[in-house]
Amino acid sequence: MTSARPGVRRKTIGQIFGIPLLTALLSAVGLVSALVGDGIWDSVSWGMLLIPILLCGYCLRQAQK
């Protein structure tokens, strides 16, 4: 039998999966825009695909502190 520890708050599905879903959505938009065309689409794809890389770098820096 499991019991909740005092002072520990449960997280909702949105709190658990919100950031990963947003990252996946931005990556998908970046990949599709890279396939769609040239010009502005190239800029959109670079921007969207750069966000997950920056997010990983941020998380790695936070883990080192």
Side-chain angles (χ1 to χ4, degrees):
M1 198 162 128
T2 61
S3 61
R5 291 180 287 166
V8 176
R9 294 177 57 182
R10 295 182 60 119
K11 293 186 177 183
T12 65
I13 296 292
Q15 290 172 328
I16 295 170
F17 294 110
I19 298 297
L21 283 175
L22 181 62
T23 304
L25 180 66
L26 292 175
S27 296
V29 168
L31 292 171
V32 169
S33 65
L35 292 172
V36 168
D38 291 327
I40 190 71
W41 292 109
D42 288 332
S43 300
V44 170
S45 67
W46 275 100
M48 293 295 125
L49 293 173
L50 183 63
I51 291 171
I53 295 169
L54 293 176
L55 185 60
C56 287
Y58 173 77
C59 291
L60 286 173
R61 278 199 47 95
Q62 292 299 319
Q64 290 176 352
K65 289 185 179 180

